[in-house]
Amino acid sequence: MFDYSITENCLSNKTILVTGAGAGIGREAALTYAKLGATIILLGKTVSKLEALYDEIIALKLAEPAIVPLDLKGATKQNYIDMSATIVSQFGKLDGVLLNASMLGELTPFTQIHEQIFNDVMQVNVTAQYLLAQALIPTLQLADKASLVFTSSGVGNQGRAFWGAYSISKFATEGMMQVIADEYENSNLRVNAINPGATKTNMRASAYPAEDKEALATPADIMPLYVYLMTNDSLAVNGKTLKAQ
Ligand code: NDP
């Protein structure tokens, strides 16, 4: 695992938006950030999952989170601009954004990739990330120090047979991260990506249905890197893809 010792309350006074906060790695990251003192904005597709996490955070007597129900497949540029304006009016700034939500599509030979699935994967994993980043960067610039974190994959810098649209979308994600990181070098904003590595979630189960799930890292296991990139300990890190495992 990425070697980082998490200290109590290391995210206090920070407001962090997490996409895909209802399940898997995003849910664990949102809960972990809340436990470390941050106020969390939970963005996701399935409202009931976001509400369940909201209730869990309230039951733990942590800072009250906000819920943003948004389907990245259908959301428009205006939706993201409106969301950013609401965040500024409610919270004043954003200290961190974890762009975690994505879709796998289907694993299939390249010649058999369905155009609709290719387009959906690009919409959710690339276009929505670009629109989110574009709308949220001005809000991140209102913070003293801010961190924008993209989510890549082992197939995000080395292509692999049958990983088609998903792999292509993660290459684009890493490219987007590097472009933004270079533009904002020497600013208050640092921009990086995480490669979580094989992690026990629904997405992993749909990619590898037959594997032994007990051998996999859990979302909780990989949190050190997710926390590190949101704390001031990572202020000097920019334009990097870091492995959580
Ligand atoms: P899950 O499928 O378990 O969770 C994905 C989350 O994203 C869910 O909360 C889901 O919401 C949300 N989401 C999916 N589509 C949309 C959409 N259209 N609009 C809004 N939210 C959406 O995935 P993981 O936790 O495994 O993956 C998290 C990230 O890590 C992804 O970017 C993935 O590519 C990456 N990753 C994961 C690996 C692994 O082994 N697990 C390995 C490498 C990378 P809902 O539950 O409501 O559908």
PDB file of all heavy atoms in Angstrom, residues 115-143:
ATOM      1  N   GLU A 115     -21.090   1.068 -30.497  1.00  0.00           N
ATOM      2  CA  GLU A 115     -20.910   2.520 -30.558  1.00  0.00           C
ATOM      3  C   GLU A 115     -21.586   3.202 -29.371  1.00  0.00           C
ATOM      4  O   GLU A 115     -21.041   4.141 -28.779  1.00  0.00           O
ATOM      5  CB  GLU A 115     -21.483   3.049 -31.874  1.00  0.00           C
ATOM      6  CG  GLU A 115     -21.148   4.503 -32.101  1.00  0.00           C
ATOM      7  CD  GLU A 115     -21.736   5.031 -33.405  1.00  0.00           C
ATOM      8  OE1 GLU A 115     -22.314   4.241 -34.189  1.00  0.00           O
ATOM      9  OE2 GLU A 115     -21.633   6.245 -33.621  1.00  0.00           O
ATOM     10  N   GLN A 116     -22.784   2.703 -28.995  1.00  0.00           N
ATOM     11  CA  GLN A 116     -23.501   3.353 -27.894  1.00  0.00           C
ATOM     12  C   GLN A 116     -22.726   3.218 -26.585  1.00  0.00           C
ATOM     13  O   GLN A 116     -22.615   4.179 -25.804  1.00  0.00           O
ATOM     14  CB  GLN A 116     -24.908   2.750 -27.746  1.00  0.00           C
ATOM     15  CG  GLN A 116     -25.778   3.491 -26.737  1.00  0.00           C
ATOM     16  CD  GLN A 116     -25.937   4.983 -27.088  1.00  0.00           C
ATOM     17  OE1 GLN A 116     -26.332   5.306 -28.205  1.00  0.00           O
ATOM     18  NE2 GLN A 116     -25.605   5.865 -26.155  1.00  0.00           N
ATOM     19  N   ILE A 117     -22.166   2.038 -26.353  1.00  0.00           N
ATOM     20  CA  ILE A 117     -21.410   1.839 -25.111  1.00  0.00           C
ATOM     21  C   ILE A 117     -20.128   2.675 -25.131  1.00  0.00           C
ATOM     22  O   ILE A 117     -19.759   3.296 -24.127  1.00  0.00           O
ATOM     23  CB  ILE A 117     -21.146   0.344 -24.879  1.00  0.00           C
ATOM     24  CG1 ILE A 117     -22.484  -0.331 -24.562  1.00  0.00           C
ATOM     25  CG2 ILE A 117     -20.130   0.118 -23.760  1.00  0.00           C
ATOM     26  CD1 ILE A 117     -22.436  -1.802 -24.341  1.00  0.00           C
ATOM     27  N   PHE A 118     -19.482   2.711 -26.302  1.00  0.00           N
ATOM     28  CA  PHE A 118     -18.276   3.554 -26.419  1.00  0.00           C
ATOM     29  C   PHE A 118     -18.630   5.001 -26.067  1.00  0.00           C
ATOM     30  O   PHE A 118     -17.935   5.654 -25.260  1.00  0.00           O
ATOM     31  CB  PHE A 118     -17.726   3.470 -27.847  1.00  0.00           C
ATOM     32  CG  PHE A 118     -16.418   4.192 -28.026  1.00  0.00           C
ATOM     33  CD1 PHE A 118     -15.207   3.552 -27.812  1.00  0.00           C
ATOM     34  CD2 PHE A 118     -16.391   5.538 -28.399  1.00  0.00           C
ATOM     35  CE1 PHE A 118     -13.995   4.222 -27.960  1.00  0.00           C
ATOM     36  CE2 PHE A 118     -15.184   6.211 -28.548  1.00  0.00           C
ATOM     37  CZ  PHE A 118     -13.989   5.554 -28.332  1.00  0.00           C
ATOM     38  N   ASN A 119     -19.744   5.483 -26.642  1.00  0.00           N
ATOM     39  CA  ASN A 119     -20.137   6.881 -26.389  1.00  0.00           C
ATOM     40  C   ASN A 119     -20.490   7.114 -24.916  1.00  0.00           C
ATOM     41  O   ASN A 119     -20.141   8.154 -24.346  1.00  0.00           O
ATOM     42  CB  ASN A 119     -21.327   7.273 -27.273  1.00  0.00           C
ATOM     43  CG  ASN A 119     -20.919   7.421 -28.731  1.00  0.00           C
ATOM     44  OD1 ASN A 119     -19.739   7.601 -29.033  1.00  0.00           O
ATOM     45  ND2 ASN A 119     -21.878   7.331 -29.643  1.00  0.00           N
ATOM     46  N   ASP A 120     -21.174   6.157 -24.306  1.00  0.00           N
ATOM     47  CA  ASP A 120     -21.536   6.306 -22.886  1.00  0.00           C
ATOM     48  C   ASP A 120     -20.282   6.366 -22.005  1.00  0.00           C
ATOM     49  O   ASP A 120     -20.186   7.186 -21.088  1.00  0.00           O
ATOM     50  CB  ASP A 120     -22.420   5.136 -22.421  1.00  0.00           C
ATOM     51  CG  ASP A 120     -23.828   5.211 -22.991  1.00  0.00           C
ATOM     52  OD1 ASP A 120     -24.196   6.268 -23.556  1.00  0.00           O
ATOM     53  OD2 ASP A 120     -24.560   4.204 -22.872  1.00  0.00           O
ATOM     54  N   VAL A 121     -19.344   5.462 -22.279  1.00  0.00           N
ATOM     55  CA  VAL A 121     -18.106   5.433 -21.484  1.00  0.00           C
ATOM     56  C   VAL A 121     -17.354   6.756 -21.648  1.00  0.00           C
ATOM     57  O   VAL A 121     -16.865   7.336 -20.670  1.00  0.00           O
ATOM     58  CB  VAL A 121     -17.222   4.223 -21.879  1.00  0.00           C
ATOM     59  CG1 VAL A 121     -15.836   4.312 -21.250  1.00  0.00           C
ATOM     60  CG2 VAL A 121     -17.907   2.918 -21.471  1.00  0.00           C
ATOM     61  N   MET A 122     -17.284   7.251 -22.877  1.00  0.00           N
ATOM     62  CA  MET A 122     -16.591   8.532 -23.099  1.00  0.00           C
ATOM     63  C   MET A 122     -17.334   9.681 -22.413  1.00  0.00           C
ATOM     64  O   MET A 122     -16.709  10.583 -21.851  1.00  0.00           O
ATOM     65  CB  MET A 122     -16.466   8.827 -24.603  1.00  0.00           C
ATOM     66  CG  MET A 122     -15.510   7.922 -25.313  1.00  0.00           C
ATOM     67  SD  MET A 122     -13.837   8.007 -24.603  1.00  0.00           S
ATOM     68  CE  MET A 122     -13.326   6.340 -24.860  1.00  0.00           C
ATOM     69  N   GLN A 123     -18.656   9.626 -22.446  1.00  0.00           N
ATOM     70  CA  GLN A 123     -19.450  10.690 -21.823  1.00  0.00           C
ATOM     71  C   GLN A 123     -19.195  10.737 -20.309  1.00  0.00           C
ATOM     72  O   GLN A 123     -18.916  11.794 -19.738  1.00  0.00           O
ATOM     73  CB  GLN A 123     -20.942  10.451 -22.097  1.00  0.00           C
ATOM     74  CG  GLN A 123     -21.876  11.480 -21.470  1.00  0.00           C
ATOM     75  CD  GLN A 123     -21.678  12.884 -22.024  1.00  0.00           C
ATOM     76  OE1 GLN A 123     -21.377  13.047 -23.201  1.00  0.00           O
ATOM     77  NE2 GLN A 123     -21.825  13.888 -21.176  1.00  0.00           N
ATOM     78  N   VAL A 124     -19.293   9.571 -19.670  1.00  0.00           N
ATOM     79  CA  VAL A 124     -19.164   9.521 -18.204  1.00  0.00           C
ATOM     80  C   VAL A 124     -17.702   9.686 -17.774  1.00  0.00           C
ATOM     81  O   VAL A 124     -17.399  10.448 -16.845  1.00  0.00           O
ATOM     82  CB  VAL A 124     -19.740   8.187 -17.658  1.00  0.00           C
ATOM     83  CG1 VAL A 124     -19.435   8.019 -16.177  1.00  0.00           C
ATOM     84  CG2 VAL A 124     -21.247   8.126 -17.921  1.00  0.00           C
ATOM     85  N   ASN A 125     -16.799   8.989 -18.449  1.00  0.00           N
ATOM     86  CA  ASN A 125     -15.413   8.914 -17.959  1.00  0.00           C
ATOM     87  C   ASN A 125     -14.525  10.047 -18.467  1.00  0.00           C
ATOM     88  O   ASN A 125     -13.450  10.279 -17.902  1.00  0.00           O
ATOM     89  CB  ASN A 125     -14.764   7.588 -18.372  1.00  0.00           C
ATOM     90  CG  ASN A 125     -15.448   6.383 -17.749  1.00  0.00           C
ATOM     91  OD1 ASN A 125     -16.467   6.518 -17.091  1.00  0.00           O
ATOM     92  ND2 ASN A 125     -14.891   5.209 -17.955  1.00  0.00           N
ATOM     93  N   VAL A 126     -14.945  10.704 -19.556  1.00  0.00           N
ATOM     94  CA  VAL A 126     -14.087  11.769 -20.102  1.00  0.00           C
ATOM     95  C   VAL A 126     -14.833  13.112 -20.159  1.00  0.00           C
ATOM     96  O   VAL A 126     -14.444  14.064 -19.482  1.00  0.00           O
ATOM     97  CB  VAL A 126     -13.562  11.403 -21.514  1.00  0.00           C
ATOM     98  CG1 VAL A 126     -12.626  12.506 -22.031  1.00  0.00           C
ATOM     99  CG2 VAL A 126     -12.841  10.060 -21.481  1.00  0.00           C
ATOM    100  N   THR A 127     -15.926  13.168 -20.921  1.00  0.00           N
ATOM    101  CA  THR A 127     -16.598  14.465 -21.113  1.00  0.00           C
ATOM    102  C   THR A 127     -17.111  15.025 -19.790  1.00  0.00           C
ATOM    103  O   THR A 127     -16.924  16.217 -19.501  1.00  0.00           O
ATOM    104  CB  THR A 127     -17.757  14.327 -22.124  1.00  0.00           C
ATOM    105  OG1 THR A 127     -17.243  13.725 -23.306  1.00  0.00           O
ATOM    106  CG2 THR A 127     -18.349  15.683 -22.461  1.00  0.00           C
ATOM    107  N   ALA A 128     -17.741  14.180 -18.995  1.00  0.00           N
ATOM    108  CA  ALA A 128     -18.262  14.673 -17.709  1.00  0.00           C
ATOM    109  C   ALA A 128     -17.125  15.114 -16.790  1.00  0.00           C
ATOM    110  O   ALA A 128     -17.268  16.094 -16.049  1.00  0.00           O
ATOM    111  CB  ALA A 128     -19.108  13.590 -17.023  1.00  0.00           C
ATOM    112  N   GLN A 129     -15.975  14.432 -16.863  1.00  0.00           N
ATOM    113  CA  GLN A 129     -14.831  14.822 -16.014  1.00  0.00           C
ATOM    114  C   GLN A 129     -14.311  16.194 -16.446  1.00  0.00           C
ATOM    115  O   GLN A 129     -13.952  17.035 -15.608  1.00  0.00           O
ATOM    116  CB  GLN A 129     -13.687  13.793 -16.103  1.00  0.00           C
ATOM    117  CG  GLN A 129     -14.108  12.348 -15.990  1.00  0.00           C
ATOM    118  CD  GLN A 129     -14.774  11.984 -14.674  1.00  0.00           C
ATOM    119  OE1 GLN A 129     -14.338  12.418 -13.623  1.00  0.00           O
ATOM    120  NE2 GLN A 129     -15.826  11.201 -14.732  1.00  0.00           N
ATOM    121  N   TYR A 130     -14.271  16.392 -17.774  1.00  0.00           N
ATOM    122  CA  TYR A 130     -13.820  17.697 -18.297  1.00  0.00           C
ATOM    123  C   TYR A 130     -14.779  18.808 -17.865  1.00  0.00           C
ATOM    124  O   TYR A 130     -14.352  19.868 -17.389  1.00  0.00           O
ATOM    125  CB  TYR A 130     -13.656  17.607 -19.826  1.00  0.00           C
ATOM    126  CG  TYR A 130     -14.249  18.715 -20.654  1.00  0.00           C
ATOM    127  CD1 TYR A 130     -13.716  20.012 -20.619  1.00  0.00           C
ATOM    128  CD2 TYR A 130     -15.339  18.472 -21.487  1.00  0.00           C
ATOM    129  CE1 TYR A 130     -14.280  21.027 -21.384  1.00  0.00           C
ATOM    130  CE2 TYR A 130     -15.893  19.479 -22.242  1.00  0.00           C
ATOM    131  CZ  TYR A 130     -15.368  20.754 -22.191  1.00  0.00           C
ATOM    132  OH  TYR A 130     -15.928  21.757 -22.926  1.00  0.00           O
ATOM    133  N   LEU A 131     -16.091  18.547 -17.991  1.00  0.00           N
ATOM    134  CA  LEU A 131     -17.075  19.585 -17.617  1.00  0.00           C
ATOM    135  C   LEU A 131     -17.044  19.854 -16.109  1.00  0.00           C
ATOM    136  O   LEU A 131     -17.140  21.002 -15.667  1.00  0.00           O
ATOM    137  CB  LEU A 131     -18.478  19.159 -18.050  1.00  0.00           C
ATOM    138  CG  LEU A 131     -18.711  19.148 -19.564  1.00  0.00           C
ATOM    139  CD1 LEU A 131     -20.049  18.494 -19.897  1.00  0.00           C
ATOM    140  CD2 LEU A 131     -18.650  20.548 -20.151  1.00  0.00           C
ATOM    141  N   LEU A 132     -16.908  18.786 -15.329  1.00  0.00           N
ATOM    142  CA  LEU A 132     -16.817  18.945 -13.868  1.00  0.00           C
ATOM    143  C   LEU A 132     -15.580  19.761 -13.508  1.00  0.00           C
ATOM    144  O   LEU A 132     -15.656  20.723 -12.727  1.00  0.00           O
ATOM    145  CB  LEU A 132     -16.710  17.566 -13.197  1.00  0.00           C
ATOM    146  CG  LEU A 132     -18.007  16.848 -12.865  1.00  0.00           C
ATOM    147  CD1 LEU A 132     -17.739  15.360 -12.639  1.00  0.00           C
ATOM    148  CD2 LEU A 132     -18.647  17.455 -11.626  1.00  0.00           C
ATOM    149  N   ALA A 133     -14.442  19.386 -14.072  1.00  0.00           N
ATOM    150  CA  ALA A 133     -13.195  20.093 -13.740  1.00  0.00           C
ATOM    151  C   ALA A 133     -13.298  21.558 -14.166  1.00  0.00           C
ATOM    152  O   ALA A 133     -12.933  22.461 -13.405  1.00  0.00           O
ATOM    153  CB  ALA A 133     -12.011  19.406 -14.416  1.00  0.00           C
ATOM    154  N   GLN A 134     -13.826  21.792 -15.355  1.00  0.00           N
ATOM    155  CA  GLN A 134     -13.932  23.171 -15.852  1.00  0.00           C
ATOM    156  C   GLN A 134     -14.822  24.017 -14.940  1.00  0.00           C
ATOM    157  O   GLN A 134     -14.509  25.165 -14.639  1.00  0.00           O
ATOM    158  CB  GLN A 134     -14.497  23.143 -17.274  1.00  0.00           C
ATOM    159  CG  GLN A 134     -14.152  24.347 -18.093  1.00  0.00           C
ATOM    160  CD  GLN A 134     -14.656  24.211 -19.510  1.00  0.00           C
ATOM    161  OE1 GLN A 134     -15.853  24.000 -19.747  1.00  0.00           O
ATOM    162  NE2 GLN A 134     -13.765  24.323 -20.471  1.00  0.00           N
ATOM    163  N   ALA A 135     -15.932  23.422 -14.487  1.00  0.00           N
ATOM    164  CA  ALA A 135     -16.859  24.178 -13.637  1.00  0.00           C
ATOM    165  C   ALA A 135     -16.318  24.355 -12.227  1.00  0.00           C
ATOM    166  O   ALA A 135     -16.606  25.361 -11.567  1.00  0.00           O
ATOM    167  CB  ALA A 135     -18.209  23.460 -13.587  1.00  0.00           C
ATOM    168  N   LEU A 136     -15.530  23.388 -11.759  1.00  0.00           N
ATOM    169  CA  LEU A 136     -15.115  23.411 -10.348  1.00  0.00           C
ATOM    170  C   LEU A 136     -13.772  24.093 -10.103  1.00  0.00           C
ATOM    171  O   LEU A 136     -13.495  24.508  -8.974  1.00  0.00           O
ATOM    172  CB  LEU A 136     -15.083  21.983  -9.791  1.00  0.00           C
ATOM    173  CG  LEU A 136     -16.470  21.322  -9.663  1.00  0.00           C
ATOM    174  CD1 LEU A 136     -16.334  19.842  -9.334  1.00  0.00           C
ATOM    175  CD2 LEU A 136     -17.319  22.024  -8.596  1.00  0.00           C
ATOM    176  N   ILE A 137     -12.937  24.226 -11.122  1.00  0.00           N
ATOM    177  CA  ILE A 137     -11.618  24.846 -10.898  1.00  0.00           C
ATOM    178  C   ILE A 137     -11.745  26.261 -10.316  1.00  0.00           C
ATOM    179  O   ILE A 137     -11.045  26.591  -9.343  1.00  0.00           O
ATOM    180  CB  ILE A 137     -10.750  24.803 -12.184  1.00  0.00           C
ATOM    181  CG1 ILE A 137     -10.213  23.381 -12.380  1.00  0.00           C
ATOM    182  CG2 ILE A 137      -9.584  25.794 -12.095  1.00  0.00           C
ATOM    183  CD1 ILE A 137      -9.517  23.130 -13.712  1.00  0.00           C
ATOM    184  N   PRO A 138     -12.657  27.113 -10.820  1.00  0.00           N
ATOM    185  CA  PRO A 138     -12.767  28.444 -10.191  1.00  0.00           C
ATOM    186  C   PRO A 138     -13.138  28.369  -8.712  1.00  0.00           C
ATOM    187  O   PRO A 138     -12.701  29.212  -7.916  1.00  0.00           O
ATOM    188  CB  PRO A 138     -13.885  29.120 -11.002  1.00  0.00           C
ATOM    189  CG  PRO A 138     -13.892  28.397 -12.310  1.00  0.00           C
ATOM    190  CD  PRO A 138     -13.519  26.983 -12.002  1.00  0.00           C
ATOM    191  N   THR A 139     -13.913  27.372  -8.330  1.00  0.00           N
ATOM    192  CA  THR A 139     -14.292  27.204  -6.919  1.00  0.00           C
ATOM    193  C   THR A 139     -13.111  26.685  -6.107  1.00  0.00           C
ATOM    194  O   THR A 139     -12.920  27.070  -4.950  1.00  0.00           O
ATOM    195  CB  THR A 139     -15.502  26.241  -6.832  1.00  0.00           C
ATOM    196  OG1 THR A 139     -16.481  26.704  -7.755  1.00  0.00           O
ATOM    197  CG2 THR A 139     -16.118  26.231  -5.459  1.00  0.00           C
ATOM    198  N   LEU A 140     -12.285  25.827  -6.720  1.00  0.00           N
ATOM    199  CA  LEU A 140     -11.061  25.365  -6.053  1.00  0.00           C
ATOM    200  C   LEU A 140     -10.078  26.521  -5.880  1.00  0.00           C
ATOM    201  O   LEU A 140      -9.312  26.562  -4.915  1.00  0.00           O
ATOM    202  CB  LEU A 140     -10.416  24.242  -6.873  1.00  0.00           C
ATOM    203  CG  LEU A 140     -11.127  22.884  -6.821  1.00  0.00           C
ATOM    204  CD1 LEU A 140     -10.689  21.996  -7.987  1.00  0.00           C
ATOM    205  CD2 LEU A 140     -10.845  22.164  -5.501  1.00  0.00           C
ATOM    206  N   GLN A 141     -10.112  27.463  -6.809  1.00  0.00           N
ATOM    207  CA  GLN A 141      -9.184  28.601  -6.715  1.00  0.00           C
ATOM    208  C   GLN A 141      -9.542  29.550  -5.572  1.00  0.00           C
ATOM    209  O   GLN A 141      -8.729  30.401  -5.207  1.00  0.00           O
ATOM    210  CB  GLN A 141      -9.156  29.361  -8.041  1.00  0.00           C
ATOM    211  CG  GLN A 141      -8.424  28.573  -9.124  1.00  0.00           C
ATOM    212  CD  GLN A 141      -8.403  29.311 -10.437  1.00  0.00           C
ATOM    213  OE1 GLN A 141      -9.445  29.593 -11.018  1.00  0.00           O
ATOM    214  NE2 GLN A 141      -7.217  29.651 -10.888  1.00  0.00           N
ATOM    215  N   LEU A 142     -10.737  29.398  -5.011  1.00  0.00           N
ATOM    216  CA  LEU A 142     -11.133  30.245  -3.882  1.00  0.00           C
ATOM    217  C   LEU A 142     -10.534  29.739  -2.566  1.00  0.00           C
ATOM    218  O   LEU A 142     -10.573  30.429  -1.552  1.00  0.00           O
ATOM    219  CB  LEU A 142     -12.665  30.291  -3.768  1.00  0.00           C
ATOM    220  CG  LEU A 142     -13.384  30.924  -4.974  1.00  0.00           C
ATOM    221  CD1 LEU A 142     -14.898  30.762  -4.823  1.00  0.00           C
ATOM    222  CD2 LEU A 142     -13.015  32.391  -5.107  1.00  0.00           C
ATOM    223  N   ALA A 143     -10.001  28.522  -2.592  1.00  0.00           N
ATOM    224  CA  ALA A 143      -9.381  27.974  -1.374  1.00  0.00           C
ATOM    225  C   ALA A 143      -7.930  28.425  -1.296  1.00  0.00           C
ATOM    226  O   ALA A 143      -7.314  28.778  -2.303  1.00  0.00           O
ATOM    227  CB  ALA A 143      -9.451  26.449  -1.403  1.00  0.00           C
TER     228      ALA A 143
END
